[in-house]
Coordinates of all heavy atoms in Angstrom, one line a residue:
N1 N -10.1 12.3 60.1 CA -10.7 11.9 61.3 C -11.6 13.0 61.8 O -11.2 14.1 62.3 CB -9.6 11.6 62.4 CG -10.2 11.0 63.7 OD1 -11.3 11.4 64.1 ND2 -9.4 10.1 64.3
M2 N -12.9 12.8 61.7 CA -13.9 13.9 62.0 C -13.9 14.3 63.4 O -14.0 15.5 63.7 CB -15.3 13.3 61.6 CG -16.3 14.4 61.7 SD -15.9 15.8 60.7 CE -17.4 16.7 60.7
K3 N -13.7 13.4 64.4 CA -13.7 13.8 65.8 C -12.5 14.7 66.1 O -12.7 15.6 66.8 CB -13.7 12.5 66.7 CG -15.0 11.8 66.7 CD -15.0 10.6 67.7 CE -16.4 10.0 67.6 NZ -16.4 8.8 68.6
F4 N -11.4 14.3 65.5 CA -10.2 15.2 65.7 C -10.4 16.6 65.1 O -10.1 17.6 65.7 CB -9.0 14.5 65.2 CG -7.7 15.1 65.7 CD1 -7.2 14.7 66.9 CD2 -7.0 16.0 65.0 CE1 -6.1 15.2 67.4 CE2 -5.8 16.6 65.5 CZ -5.4 16.2 66.7
E5 N -11.0 16.6 64.0 CA -11.3 18.0 63.3 C -12.3 18.8 64.2 O -12.1 20.0 64.3 CB -11.9 17.8 61.9 CG -11.0 17.2 60.9 CD -9.9 18.2 60.5 OE1 -10.2 19.4 60.5 OE2 -8.8 17.7 60.1
Q6 N -13.2 18.2 64.8 CA -14.1 18.9 65.7 C -13.4 19.4 66.9 O -13.6 20.5 67.4 CB -15.3 18.0 66.1 CG -16.3 17.6 65.0 CD -17.3 16.6 65.4 OE1 -17.0 15.7 66.1 NE2 -18.4 16.6 64.7
F7 N -12.5 18.6 67.5 CA -11.6 18.9 68.6 C -10.8 20.1 68.2 O -10.7 21.1 69.0 CB -10.8 17.7 69.0 CG -9.8 18.1 70.1 CD1 -10.3 18.3 71.4 CD2 -8.5 18.1 69.9 CE1 -9.4 18.6 72.5 CE2 -7.6 18.3 71.0 CZ -8.1 18.6 72.2
I8 N -10.1 20.1 67.1 CA -9.3 21.3 66.6 C -10.2 22.5 66.5 O -9.8 23.6 67.0 CB -8.7 20.9 65.2 CG1 -7.7 19.8 65.3 CG2 -8.1 22.2 64.6 CD1 -6.3 20.2 65.8
E9 N -11.4 22.3 66.0 CA -12.3 23.5 65.9 C -12.7 24.1 67.2 O -12.7 25.3 67.4 CB -13.6 23.1 65.1 CG -14.6 24.2 64.8 CD -14.0 25.2 63.8 OE1 -13.2 24.9 63.0 OE2 -14.5 26.3 63.9
Y10 N -12.8 23.2 68.2 CA -13.2 23.7 69.5 C -12.1 24.5 70.2 O -12.3 25.3 71.0 CB -13.6 22.4 70.4 CG -14.1 22.9 71.8 CD1 -15.4 23.4 71.9 CD2 -13.3 22.8 72.9 CE1 -15.8 23.8 73.2 CE2 -13.7 23.2 74.1 CZ -15.0 23.7 74.3 OH -15.5 24.1 75.5
L11 N -10.8 24.2 69.8 CA -9.7 24.9 70.4 C -9.5 26.3 69.9 O -8.7 27.1 70.5 CB -8.4 24.1 70.2 CG -8.3 22.8 71.0 CD1 -7.0 22.1 70.5 CD2 -8.3 23.0 72.4
K12 N -10.2 26.7 68.8 CA -10.0 28.1 68.3 C -10.2 29.1 69.4 O -11.2 29.0 70.2 CB -11.0 28.3 67.2 CG -10.5 27.7 65.8 CD -11.4 28.2 64.7 CE -10.9 27.7 63.4 NZ -11.7 28.1 62.3
N13 N -9.3 30.0 69.5 CA -9.4 31.1 70.5 C -9.4 30.7 71.9 O -9.9 31.4 72.8 CB -10.6 32.0 70.2 CG -10.6 32.6 68.8 OD1 -9.6 33.1 68.4 ND2 -11.7 32.4 68.0
K14 N -8.8 29.5 72.2 CA -8.7 29.0 73.5 C -7.2 28.8 74.0 O -6.4 28.7 73.1 CB -9.4 27.6 73.6 CG -10.8 27.5 73.3 CD -11.7 28.1 74.4 CE -13.1 27.9 74.1 NZ -14.0 28.4 75.0
N15 N -7.0 28.9 75.3 CA -5.8 28.6 75.9 C -5.9 27.1 76.2 O -6.9 26.7 76.8 CB -5.5 29.4 77.1 CG -5.2 30.8 76.8 OD1 -4.2 31.1 76.2 ND2 -6.2 31.7 77.1
F16 N -4.9 26.3 76.0 CA -4.9 24.9 76.3 C -3.5 24.3 76.5 O -2.5 24.9 76.1 CB -5.6 24.1 75.1 CG -4.9 24.0 73.9 CD1 -4.2 22.8 73.6 CD2 -4.8 25.0 73.0 CE1 -3.4 22.7 72.5 CE2 -4.1 24.9 71.8 CZ -3.4 23.7 71.6
T17 N -3.5 23.1 77.1 CA -2.3 22.3 77.2 C -2.7 20.9 76.8 O -3.9 20.6 76.7 CB -1.7 22.3 78.6 OG1 -0.4 21.7 78.5 CG2 -2.6 21.6 79.6
C18 N -1.7 20.0 76.5 CA -2.0 18.7 76.1 C -0.8 17.8 76.4 O 0.3 18.3 76.6 CB -2.4 18.6 74.7 SG -1.2 19.1 73.5
Y19 N -1.0 16.5 76.3 CA 0.1 15.6 76.4 C 1.1 15.9 75.3 O 0.7 16.2 74.1 CB -0.5 14.2 76.2 CG 0.5 13.1 76.4 CD1 1.0 12.8 77.6 CD2 0.9 12.3 75.3 CE1 2.0 11.8 77.8 CE2 1.8 11.3 75.4 CZ 2.3 11.0 76.7 OH 3.3 10.0 76.9
P20 N 2.4 15.9 75.6 CA 3.4 16.4 74.6 C 3.3 15.6 73.3 O 3.4 16.3 72.2 CB 4.7 16.1 75.3 CG 4.4 16.3 76.8 CD 3.0 15.7 76.9
E21 N 3.0 14.3 73.3 CA 2.9 13.6 72.0 C 1.7 14.0 71.2 O 1.7 13.7 70.0 CB 2.9 12.1 72.3 CG 4.2 11.6 72.8 CD 5.3 11.6 71.7 OE1 5.0 11.2 70.5 OE2 6.4 12.0 72.0
M22 N 0.7 14.6 71.9 CA -0.5 15.0 71.2 C -0.2 16.1 70.1 O -0.9 16.2 69.1 CB -1.5 15.6 72.2 CG -2.8 15.9 71.6 SD -3.7 14.4 71.2 CE -5.3 15.1 70.8
E23 N 0.8 16.9 70.3 CA 1.2 17.9 69.4 C 1.6 17.3 68.0 O 1.2 17.8 67.0 CB 2.4 18.7 69.9 CG 2.0 19.5 71.1 CD 3.2 20.0 71.8 OE1 4.3 20.1 71.3 OE2 3.1 20.3 73.1
K24 N 2.2 16.1 68.1 CA 2.5 15.4 66.8 C 1.2 14.9 66.1 O 1.1 14.9 64.9 CB 3.4 14.2 67.1 CG 4.8 14.6 67.6 CD 5.6 13.4 67.9 CE 7.0 13.8 68.5 NZ 7.7 12.7 69.0
S25 N 0.2 14.5 67.0 CA -1.0 14.0 66.4 C -1.8 15.2 65.7 O -2.5 14.9 64.7 CB -1.9 13.5 67.5 OG -1.3 12.3 68.0
F26 N -1.6 16.4 66.2 CA -2.3 17.5 65.5 C -1.9 17.6 64.0 O -2.7 17.7 63.2 CB -1.9 18.9 66.2 CG -2.6 19.1 67.5 CD1 -2.0 19.7 68.5 CD2 -3.9 18.8 67.6 CE1 -2.6 20.0 69.7 CE2 -4.6 19.1 68.8 CZ -3.9 19.7 69.9
E27 N -0.6 17.5 63.8 CA -0.1 17.6 62.4 C -0.5 16.3 61.6 O -0.9 16.4 60.5 CB 1.5 17.7 62.4 CG 2.0 17.9 61.1 CD 3.4 18.3 61.1 OE1 3.9 19.2 61.9 OE2 4.2 17.8 60.2
E28 N -0.4 15.2 62.3 CA -0.8 13.9 61.6 C -2.2 13.9 61.2 O -2.5 13.5 60.1 CB -0.5 12.7 62.6 CG -0.8 11.4 62.0 CD -0.7 10.2 63.0 OE1 0.2 10.4 63.9 OE2 -1.4 9.2 62.9
F29 N -3.1 14.3 62.0 CA -4.6 14.2 61.7 C -5.1 15.5 61.0 O -6.0 15.4 60.2 CB -5.4 13.9 62.9 CG -5.2 12.6 63.5 CD1 -4.5 12.3 64.6 CD2 -5.7 11.5 62.7 CE1 -4.4 11.0 65.1 CE2 -5.6 10.2 63.2 CZ -4.9 9.9 64.4
A30 N -4.5 16.7 61.3 CA -5.1 17.9 60.8 C -4.2 18.5 59.7 O -4.6 19.5 59.0 CB -5.3 18.9 61.9
G31 N -3.0 17.9 59.4 CA -2.2 18.4 58.3 C -1.2 19.4 58.9 O -1.2 19.8 60.0
E32 N -0.3 19.8 58.0 CA 0.8 20.6 58.3 C 0.4 22.0 58.8 O 1.0 22.7 59.6 CB 1.8 20.8 57.2 CG 2.6 19.6 56.9 CD 3.5 19.7 55.7 OE1 3.8 20.9 55.3 OE2 4.0 18.7 55.2
N33 N -0.8 22.5 58.3 CA -1.3 23.8 58.7 C -2.3 23.8 59.9 O -3.1 24.6 60.0 CB -1.9 24.5 57.5 CG -3.2 23.7 57.0 OD1 -3.4 22.6 57.3 ND2 -4.0 24.4 56.2
W34 N -2.1 22.8 60.8 CA -3.0 22.7 61.9 C -3.0 23.9 62.7 O -4.1 24.3 63.3 CB -2.7 21.5 62.8 CG -1.5 21.5 63.6 CD1 -0.2 21.1 63.2 CD2 -1.3 22.0 64.9 NE1 0.7 21.3 64.2 CE2 0.0 21.9 65.3 CE3 -2.2 22.6 65.8 CZ2 0.5 22.3 66.5 CZ3 -1.7 23.0 67.0 CH2 -0.4 22.9 67.4
Q35 N -1.9 24.7 62.8 CA -1.9 25.9 63.6 C -2.9 27.0 63.1 O -3.6 27.7 63.8 CB -0.5 26.6 63.6 CG 0.5 25.8 64.4 CD 1.3 24.8 63.5 OE1 0.9 24.5 62.4 NE2 2.4 24.3 64.0
E36 N -3.1 27.0 61.8 CA -4.1 27.9 61.1 C -5.5 27.5 61.5 O -6.3 28.3 61.7 CB -3.9 27.9 59.6 CG -2.6 28.5 59.2 CD -2.4 28.3 57.7 OE1 -3.4 28.0 57.0 OE2 -1.2 28.4 57.2
K37 N -5.7 26.2 61.7 CA -7.0 25.7 62.0 C -7.4 26.0 63.5 O -8.6 26.0 63.8 CB -7.1 24.2 61.7 CG -7.0 23.8 60.3 CD -7.1 22.3 60.1 CE -7.0 22.0 58.6 NZ -7.1 20.6 58.4
V38 N -6.5 26.3 64.3 CA -6.7 26.7 65.7 C -6.3 28.1 65.9 O -5.8 28.4 67.0 CB -6.1 25.7 66.7 CG1 -6.8 24.3 66.6 CG2 -4.6 25.6 66.5
S39 N -6.5 28.9 64.9 CA -6.1 30.3 65.0 C -6.7 31.0 66.3 O -7.8 30.7 66.7 CB -6.5 31.1 63.8 OG -7.9 31.1 63.7
G40 N -5.9 31.7 66.9 CA -6.3 32.5 68.1 C -6.0 31.6 69.4 O -6.1 32.1 70.5
S41 N -5.7 30.4 69.2 CA -5.5 29.5 70.4 C -4.0 29.6 70.8 O -3.2 30.0 70.0 CB -5.8 28.1 70.1 OG -4.9 27.5 69.2
V42 N -3.8 29.3 72.1 CA -2.4 29.4 72.6 C -2.1 28.1 73.3 O -2.9 27.7 74.3 CB -2.2 30.6 73.5 CG1 -0.8 30.6 74.1 CG2 -2.6 31.9 72.9
H43 N -1.1 27.4 72.9 CA -0.7 26.2 73.5 C 0.3 26.5 74.7 O 1.2 27.2 74.5 CB 0.0 25.2 72.5 CG 0.5 24.0 73.2 ND1 1.8 23.8 73.4 CD2 -0.1 22.8 73.6 CE1 2.0 22.7 74.0 NE2 0.8 22.1 74.1
H44 N 0.0 26.0 75.8 CA 0.8 26.2 77.0 C 1.5 24.8 77.5 O 0.9 23.8 77.1 CB 0.0 26.8 78.2 CG -0.6 28.1 77.9 ND1 0.0 29.3 78.1 CD2 -1.8 28.4 77.4 CE1 -0.8 30.3 77.7 NE2 -1.9 29.7 77.3
T45 N 2.5 25.0 78.2 CA 3.1 23.8 78.7 C 2.9 23.6 80.3 O 3.6 22.8 80.9 CB 4.7 23.7 78.4 OG1 5.3 24.9 79.0 CG2 4.9 23.6 77.0
Q46 N 2.0 24.4 80.8 CA 1.7 24.3 82.3 C 1.0 22.9 82.4 O 0.4 22.4 81.5 CB 0.7 25.4 82.7 CG 1.3 26.7 82.6 CD 0.2 27.8 82.6 OE1 0.1 28.6 81.7 NE2 -0.6 27.8 83.7
N47 N 1.0 22.4 83.7 CA 0.3 21.2 84.0 C -1.2 21.2 83.7 O -1.8 20.3 83.2 CB 0.5 20.8 85.4 CG 1.9 20.2 85.7 OD1 2.6 19.9 84.8 ND2 2.3 20.0 86.9
V48 N -1.8 22.4 84.1 CA -3.3 22.5 83.9 C -3.5 23.9 83.4 O -2.9 24.9 83.9 CB -4.0 22.3 85.2 CG1 -5.5 22.6 85.1 CG2 -3.8 20.9 85.8
V49 N -4.4 24.1 82.4 CA -4.8 25.3 81.8 C -6.3 25.4 81.8 O -7.0 24.5 81.4 CB -4.3 25.5 80.4 CG1 -4.8 26.8 79.8 CG2 -2.7 25.5 80.4
I50 N -6.8 26.5 82.4 CA -8.3 26.8 82.4 C -8.6 28.0 81.6 O -8.0 29.0 81.7 CB -8.7 27.1 83.9 CG1 -8.3 25.9 84.8 CG2 -10.2 27.4 83.9 CD1 -8.5 26.2 86.3
D51 N -9.5 27.8 80.6 CA -10.0 28.8 79.8 C -11.5 28.8 79.7 O -12.1 27.9 79.1 CB -9.4 28.7 78.4 CG -9.7 29.9 77.5 OD1 -10.7 30.6 77.8 OD2 -8.9 30.2 76.6
E52 N -12.2 29.6 80.5 CA -13.6 29.5 80.7 C -14.0 28.2 81.2 O -13.6 27.8 82.2 CB -14.3 30.0 79.3 CG -14.1 31.4 79.0 CD -14.7 31.8 77.7 OE1 -15.4 31.0 77.1 OE2 -14.5 33.0 77.3
N53 N -14.8 27.4 80.3 CA -15.2 26.1 80.8 C -14.4 25.0 80.2 O -14.7 23.8 80.4 CB -16.7 25.9 80.4 CG -17.7 26.7 81.2 OD1 -17.3 27.0 82.4 ND2 -18.8 27.0 80.7
L54 N -13.3 25.3 79.6 CA -12.3 24.3 79.1 C -11.2 24.1 80.1 O -10.5 25.1 80.4 CB -11.8 24.7 77.7 CG -10.8 23.8 77.1 CD1 -11.4 22.5 76.7 CD2 -10.1 24.5 75.9
I55 N -11.0 22.9 80.6 CA -9.9 22.6 81.5 C -9.1 21.5 80.9 O -9.6 20.4 80.6 CB -10.4 22.2 82.9 CG1 -11.3 23.3 83.5 CG2 -9.2 21.9 83.8 CD1 -12.0 22.9 84.8
T56 N -7.8 21.8 80.6 CA -7.0 20.8 80.0 C -5.8 20.5 80.9 O -5.4 21.4 81.7 CB -6.5 21.3 78.6 OG1 -5.9 22.6 78.7 CG2 -7.7 21.4 77.6
S57 N -5.2 19.3 80.7 CA -4.0 19.0 81.5 C -3.0 18.2 80.6 O -3.3 17.8 79.5 CB -4.3 18.2 82.7 OG -4.6 16.8 82.4
R58 N -1.8 18.1 81.1 CA -0.7 17.5 80.3 C -0.7 15.9 80.3 O -0.1 15.3 79.4 CB 0.7 17.9 80.8 CG 0.9 19.4 80.8 CD 1.4 19.9 79.6 NE 2.8 19.4 79.3 CZ 3.3 19.6 78.1 NH1 2.7 20.2 77.2 NH2 4.5 19.2 77.9
G59 N -1.4 15.3 81.2 CA -1.5 13.9 81.2 C -1.7 13.3 82.6 O -2.1 14.0 83.6
A60 N -1.6 12.0 82.7 CA -1.9 11.3 83.9 C -1.1 11.8 85.1 O -1.6 11.8 86.3 CB -1.6 9.8 83.8
G61 N 0.1 12.2 84.9 CA 0.9 12.7 86.0 C 0.4 14.0 86.6 O 0.8 14.4 87.7
T62 N -0.6 14.6 86.0 CA -1.1 15.9 86.5 C -2.6 15.7 87.0 O -3.3 16.7 87.2 CB -1.1 17.0 85.3 OG1 -2.0 16.6 84.3 CG2 0.3 17.2 84.8
A63 N -2.9 14.4 87.3 CA -4.3 14.1 87.7 C -4.8 14.9 88.9 O -5.9 15.4 88.9 CB -4.5 12.6 87.8
L64 N -3.9 15.0 89.9 CA -4.4 15.7 91.1 C -4.6 17.2 90.8 O -5.6 17.8 91.2 CB -3.3 15.6 92.2 CG -3.4 14.3 93.0 CD1 -2.2 14.2 94.0 CD2 -4.7 14.1 93.7
D65 N -3.6 17.8 90.1 CA -3.8 19.2 89.7 C -5.1 19.4 88.9 O -5.8 20.4 89.1 CB -2.6 19.8 89.0 CG -1.3 19.9 89.8 OD1 -1.4 19.9 91.0 OD2 -0.2 19.8 89.2
F66 N -5.3 18.6 88.0 CA -6.5 18.6 87.2 C -7.8 18.4 88.0 O -8.7 19.2 87.8 CB -6.4 17.4 86.1 CG -7.5 17.5 85.1 CD1 -7.6 18.5 84.2 CD2 -8.4 16.4 85.0 CE1 -8.6 18.5 83.2 CE2 -9.4 16.4 84.0 CZ -9.5 17.5 83.1
S67 N -7.8 17.6 89.0 CA -8.9 17.4 89.9 C -9.2 18.6 90.7 O -10.3 19.0 90.8 CB -8.7 16.2 90.8 OG -8.4 15.0 90.1
F68 N -8.1 19.2 91.2 CA -8.3 20.5 92.0 C -8.8 21.5 91.1 O -9.7 22.3 91.6 CB -6.9 20.9 92.6 CG -6.4 19.8 93.6 CD1 -5.0 19.6 93.7 CD2 -7.2 19.1 94.4 CE1 -4.5 18.6 94.5 CE2 -6.7 18.1 95.3 CZ -5.3 17.9 95.4
A69 N -8.4 21.6 89.9 CA -8.9 22.7 89.0 C -10.4 22.5 88.8 O -11.2 23.5 88.8 CB -8.2 22.7 87.7
I70 N -10.9 21.2 88.6 CA -12.3 21.0 88.4 C -13.1 21.3 89.6 O -14.1 21.9 89.6 CB -12.5 19.5 88.0 CG1 -11.9 19.2 86.6 CG2 -13.9 19.1 88.0 CD1 -11.8 17.8 86.2
I71 N -12.6 20.9 90.8 CA -13.3 21.2 92.1 C -13.5 22.7 92.3 O -14.5 23.2 92.6 CB -12.6 20.5 93.2 CG1 -12.6 19.0 93.2 CG2 -13.1 21.1 94.6 CD1 -11.7 18.3 94.2
E72 N -12.3 23.4 92.0 CA -12.4 24.9 92.1 C -13.4 25.5 91.2 O -14.1 26.4 91.5 CB -11.0 25.5 92.0 CG -11.0 27.0 92.3 CD -9.6 27.6 92.2 OE1 -8.6 26.8 92.2 OE2 -9.5 28.9 92.3
K73 N -13.4 25.0 89.9 CA -14.4 25.5 88.9 C -15.8 25.2 89.3 O -16.7 26.1 89.2 CB -14.0 24.9 87.5 CG -14.8 25.5 86.4 CD -14.3 26.9 86.1 CE -15.0 27.4 84.9 NZ -14.7 28.8 84.6
L74 N -16.1 24.0 89.8 CA -17.5 23.6 90.1 C -17.9 24.2 91.5 O -19.1 24.5 91.6 CB -17.6 22.1 90.2 CG -17.4 21.4 88.9 CD1 -17.4 19.9 89.1 CD2 -18.4 21.8 87.9
F75 N -17.0 24.4 92.4 CA -17.4 24.9 93.7 C -16.7 26.3 94.0 O -17.2 27.3 93.5 CB -17.0 23.9 94.8 CG -17.7 22.6 94.6 CD1 -17.1 21.5 94.0 CD2 -19.0 22.4 95.0 CE1 -17.8 20.3 93.8 CE2 -19.7 21.2 94.9 CZ -19.1 20.2 94.2
D76 N -15.6 26.3 94.7 CA -14.9 27.5 94.9 C -13.5 27.1 95.5 O -13.2 26.0 95.7 CB -15.6 28.4 95.9 CG -16.0 27.7 97.2 OD1 -15.1 26.9 97.8 OD2 -17.1 27.9 97.7
K77 N -12.6 28.1 95.6 CA -11.2 27.9 96.0 C -11.2 27.3 97.4 O -10.3 26.5 97.7 CB -10.5 29.2 95.9 CG -8.9 29.0 96.2 CD -8.2 30.3 95.9 CE -6.7 30.0 96.2 NZ -5.9 29.8 95.0
Q78 N -12.1 27.8 98.3 CA -12.1 27.3 99.7 C -12.3 25.8 99.7 O -11.7 25.0 100.4 CB -13.1 28.0 100.5 CG -13.2 27.6 101.9 CD -14.2 28.4 102.7 OE1 -15.0 29.2 102.2 NE2 -14.2 28.2 104.0
T79 N -13.3 25.3 98.9 CA -13.6 23.9 98.9 C -12.5 23.1 98.3 O -12.1 22.0 98.8 CB -14.9 23.6 98.0 OG1 -16.0 24.4 98.6 CG2 -15.3 22.2 98.0
M80 N -11.9 23.6 97.2 CA -10.7 23.0 96.6 C -9.6 22.8 97.6 O -9.0 21.8 97.8 CB -10.3 23.7 95.4 CG -9.1 23.1 94.7 SD -7.4 23.5 95.3 CE -7.4 25.3 95.0
E81 N -9.3 23.9 98.4 CA -8.2 23.9 99.4 C -8.5 22.8 100.5 O -7.6 22.1 100.9 CB -8.0 25.3 100.0 CG -7.3 26.2 99.0 CD -5.9 25.9 98.7 OE1 -5.2 25.1 99.4 OE2 -5.4 26.3 97.6
K82 N -9.8 22.7 100.9 CA -10.2 21.8 101.9 C -10.0 20.3 101.4 O -9.4 19.5 102.1 CB -11.7 22.0 102.2 CG -12.2 21.1 103.4 CD -13.6 21.4 103.7 CE -14.1 20.5 104.8 NZ -15.5 20.8 105.2
V83 N -10.4 20.1 100.2 CA -10.1 18.7 99.6 C -8.6 18.5 99.5 O -8.1 17.4 99.9 CB -10.9 18.6 98.3 CG1 -10.4 17.3 97.6 CG2 -12.4 18.7 98.4
K84 N -7.9 19.5 99.0 CA -6.4 19.3 98.7 C -5.8 19.0 100.1 O -4.9 18.2 100.1 CB -5.9 20.6 98.1 CG -4.5 20.5 97.7 CD -4.1 21.9 97.0 CE -2.7 21.8 96.4 NZ -2.4 23.1 95.7
N85 N -6.1 19.7 101.1 CA -5.5 19.5 102.4 C -5.8 18.3 103.1 O -5.2 17.8 104.0 CB -5.8 20.7 103.3 CG -5.1 22.0 102.9 OD1 -4.1 22.0 102.2 ND2 -5.7 23.1 103.2
S86 N -6.9 17.6 102.6 CA -7.4 16.3 103.2 C -6.7 15.1 102.6 O -6.8 14.0 103.1 CB -8.9 16.2 103.2 OG -9.3 16.0 101.9
I87 N -6.0 15.4 101.5 CA -5.4 14.2 100.7 C -4.0 14.0 101.2 O -3.2 14.9 101.4 CB -5.4 14.6 99.2 CG1 -6.8 14.6 98.7 CG2 -4.5 13.5 98.5 CD1 -6.9 15.0 97.2
V88 N -3.7 12.7 101.5 CA -2.3 12.3 101.8 C -1.7 11.8 100.6 O -2.1 10.7 100.1 CB -2.3 11.3 102.9 CG1 -0.9 10.8 103.3 CG2 -3.0 11.8 104.2
A89 N -0.7 12.5 100.1 CA 0.0 12.0 98.9 C 1.5 11.9 99.1 O 2.0 12.6 99.9 CB -0.3 13.0 97.7

C-alpha cells in the first residue's frame, strides 16, 4: 500500500500517537520490521502529540483535545483557552 508507506516515511524522527488498532496496521501493511522504517520516531500513548507541524491524536474520543491543539498551533495559547472556556461540554 503506497499511501501507507508514504505515511510511515513521514513518521521518521517524529513523535506521534495513533489509534491503538493502528499499531497492528503498521505491521500488516509495512511488515514485521515497520519499527526500522520509522527509525527515530517515538510512539506515545498520550491523547494528543505535537511534533513541529505534525499533530496526532488517539481517535474520536480525543477530538476536543485535538481541536485545542490545532487552535493553539495556529493562533496562541490565549486564543485556545478562550475557545476552550467558551465550550459547554
